[in-house]
Amino acid sequence: MLSIGLDIGTTGICGVLIDSDSGSVIKTESRANNFFINTGKEYERIQDAQKIYNAVEEILGALFTKDAECIGVTGQMHGIVYLDADGNLVSPLYTWQDMRASLPYKEGTYSSVFGAPAGYGLATNFYNRINGLIPQNACIICTVHDYVAMRLCGNKKPLLHSSDAASLGGYDCEKRCFSADEPLLPDSVDTSRVIGEYKGVPVCIAIGDNQASYIGSAKDGSALINIGTGSQVTVPAASYRNIRSLETRPLGGDEYILVGCAICGGRAFAMLENFFGSVCEMAGMKRENLYPFMDEMLKEDYETDLSFDTRFCGSRTYPDVKASVTNLTENNFTAKDMAFALLDGIAQELYDFYAVTGNKAKYITGSGNGIRKNAALCRTLEKKFGCKLIIPAHREEAAYGAALIALKAAGKFDSIKQAQSLIHYL
């Protein structure tokens, strides 16, 4: 039998059809999410939610089969859409990148006054409410993937999983309930469950993409390292824990994940490539893609005593911190030393998050293009974490996780851990 997983990302939307007996991916479909709406406001990052839904329907149409047992949905967390009493869209998607809540308000910002980071749905909603921007016929808010799951089933009200509820802000992760006083909030639940059917196939409640990626990648208590433009490390926790540098997020049931997010991951490596490119231009050479040359330079192990702090864009805990290079000498001021030190800096920031959890995983799981395309970074991570790094055989980890969660909700498996037995590694 088969399961479908859908992932609504910020720049791409994808779906996978997996064999629920072998775990193999039968088919993958994807579409670009180029549905941003240009409003001329620098702080505003909104998307056309109706076009997103249309793209999901195209993907689902290409993947759908009468042999499907279930459909799972995940997507970009933190953002919100407004719906009317019949579940119809009455607004665009205010994405997690929308920074209106960072604008000045009273003695601080809308974000600081409300008590949630800019980009989190309820901070965005707070700005909209103060400035009279909530549509008059708005009756409820939810994430875009909650809207998609609801609409696929023909429901009129969304139901939020705790993973998405927590991503909006104004949510008590320990008590598993909203702490914010907001009349537009929907109901939320802790466990995965079927919320309806699409063409006779059960549809599972939507789940946040961080949790879906973890479930679709890591098992046996492994930590998950994802490196794309940014990077993050996700560590399982059997109970609620409050650690300053980490976010505690609901995974489902009584389980949590501890998440450390670095703003620069693969982006730091891209900055180094850009720097090398500017040197080529200075020498009058034609600029080209330097990644193959960098990969060749990094092919063999190399030790450097150069130290590179890669927090170019600050961090969530210390937004004003800057990147730095230290311990420079006449012997290590080279392109090779700079490159190896930068990789070590990327790994160090993630390891610092990991170390405070006290987790001692037998191995770490890696995902994202920053890991799949950079063998030297993989070696650096293994050395830093002191254990083997394994990479899932499937690439669409969040969509795959959504498919596994749906299988559990539909009764194919008794637990998420049992469903994760389908995961295979390279």
Side-chain angles (χ1 to χ4, degrees):
M1 300 296 282
L2 306 168
S3 176
I4 297 171
L6 302 168
D7 176 25
I8 305 164
T10 312
T11 58
I13 304 167
C14 74
V16 296
L17 179 67
I18 72 169
D19 187 309
S20 56
D21 293 316
S22 68
S24 60
V25 176
I26 306 300
K27 190 176 182 181
T28 301
E29 284 286 327
S30 62
R31 301 288 187 277
N33 185 355
N34 50 8
F35 305 129
F36 277 99
I37 301 170
N38 185 5
T39 64
K41 297 175 182 176
E42 188 175 335
Y43 60 81
E44 196 162 50
R45 295 287 286 173
I46 61 177
Q47 291 182 323
D48 189 320
Q50 180 58 52
K51 289 182 178 178
I52 289 174
Y53 180 80
N54 293 344
V56 171
E57 278 210 316
E58 284 184 21
I59 290 170
L60 190 53
L63 295 175
F64 191 81
T65 167
K66 63 181 180 181
D67 293 326
E69 292 179 274
C70 50
I71 299 169
V73 184
T74 186
Q76 48 175 299
M77 297 160 65
H78 309 303
I80 54 169
V81 294
Y82 292 93
L83 310 179
D84 66 15
D86 293 320
N88 299 310
L89 285 167
V90 293
S91 79
L93 164 63
Y94 297 87
T95 74
W96 61 277
Q97 295 176 327
D98 191 278
M99 288 291 106
R100 69 190 60 216
S102 66
L103 297 174
Y105 180 64
K106 293 187 176 180
E107 300 301 316
T109 64
Y110 290 88
S111 169
S112 63
V113 171
F114 178 76
Y120 279 47
L122 288 188
T124 299
N125 177 73
F126 179 68
Y127 174 95
N128 288 347
R129 186 170 291 286
I130 295 296
N131 290 280
L133 297 177
I134 296 177
Q136 288 188 350
N137 53 344
C139 292
I140 204 162
I141 60 175
C142 65
T143 71
V144 67
H145 42 292
D146 287 304
Y147 164 71
V148 167
M150 176 203 76
R151 187 166 167 185
L152 288 176
C153 299
N155 298 341
K156 292 187 176 182
K157 285 187 177 181
L159 180 66
L160 266 63
H161 186 268
S162 55
S163 59
D164 280 322
S167 81
L168 300 184
Y171 185 86
D172 188 323
C173 286
E174 187 172 15
K175 296 179 180 178
R176 303 291 185 98
C177 64
F178 282 106
S179 55
D181 182 17
E182 171 51 60
L184 297 181
L185 284 170
D187 292 333
S188 64
V189 295
D190 281 335
T191 56
S192 57
R193 61 184 64 182
V194 172
I195 60 169
E197 292 184 349
Y198 174 81
K199 296 183 178 179
V201 176
V203 176
C204 180
I205 188 172
I207 187 171
D209 57 359
N210 180 201
Q211 288 85 346
S213 292
Y214 181 78
I215 289 169
S217 304
K219 57 184 179 181
D220 303 326
S222 168
L224 172 66
I225 295 173
N226 179 277
I227 299 181
T229 302
S231 62
Q232 63 186 19
V233 58
T234 302
V235 179
S239 60
Y240 179 83
R241 297 179 64 188
N242 187 10
I243 300 175
R244 183 172 184 266
S245 60
L246 306 178
E247 281 192 63
T248 303
R249 297 176 177 176
L251 184 62
D254 296 325
E255 296 182 279
Y256 294 84
I257 50 175
L258 304 172
V259 184
C261 297
I263 299 173
C264 281
R267 184 178 182 181
F269 196 66
M271 289 180 185
L272 186 63
E273 190 270 347
N274 185 62
F275 171 73
F276 289 157
S278 69
V279 174
C280 292
E281 289 179 338
M282 180 186 69
M285 300 169 63
K286 182 180 178 182
R287 183 150 188 167
E288 58 181 305
N289 178 7
L290 296 177
Y291 288 118
F293 300 98
M294 292 169 70
D295 290 341
E296 184 64 28
M297 180 176 65
L298 295 164
K299 196 171 183 180
E300 302 295 333
D301 286 338
Y302 177 77
E303 294 293 333
T304 178
D305 53 0
L306 195 66
S307 183
F308 205 142
D309 184 326
T310 56
R311 291 177 292 178
F312 290 96
C313 304
S315 70
R316 291 189 178 181
T317 307
Y318 303 104
D320 296 326
V321 73
K322 300 293 187 294
S324 62
V325 179
T326 55
N327 204 39
L328 268 172
T329 68
E330 62 178 332
N331 295 320
N332 65 21
F333 192 19
T334 71
K336 190 170 186 177
D337 283 271
M338 196 76 71
F340 273 95
L342 181 135
L343 293 183
D344 186 78
I346 293 171
Q348 185 65 52
E349 186 174 7
L350 293 171
Y351 180 76
D352 288 342
F353 289 133
Y354 174 79
V356 298
T357 70
N359 186 286
K360 300 294 181 184
K362 292 181 291 185
Y363 57 87
I364 50 176
T365 304
S367 67
N369 285 334
I371 284 179
R372 291 183 183 273
K373 294 183 177 182
N374 195 326
L377 180 54
C378 291
R379 296 196 308 271
T380 303
L381 288 166
E382 288 186 329
K383 185 181 299 183
K384 187 69 66 176
F385 281 75
C387 59
K388 183 175 177 58
L389 176 106
I390 59 175
I391 299 173
H394 54 274
R395 287 181 172 271
E396 302 295 351
E397 296 92 355
Y400 194 93
L404 294 186
I405 294 161
L407 285 168
K408 188 269 179 185
K412 171 73 174 181
F413 295 103
D414 294 330
S415 67
I416 293 295
K417 289 181 179 178
Q418 192 181 62
Q420 287 178 304
S421 65
L422 295 179
I423 299 174
H424 300 286
Y425 298 95
L426 297 176

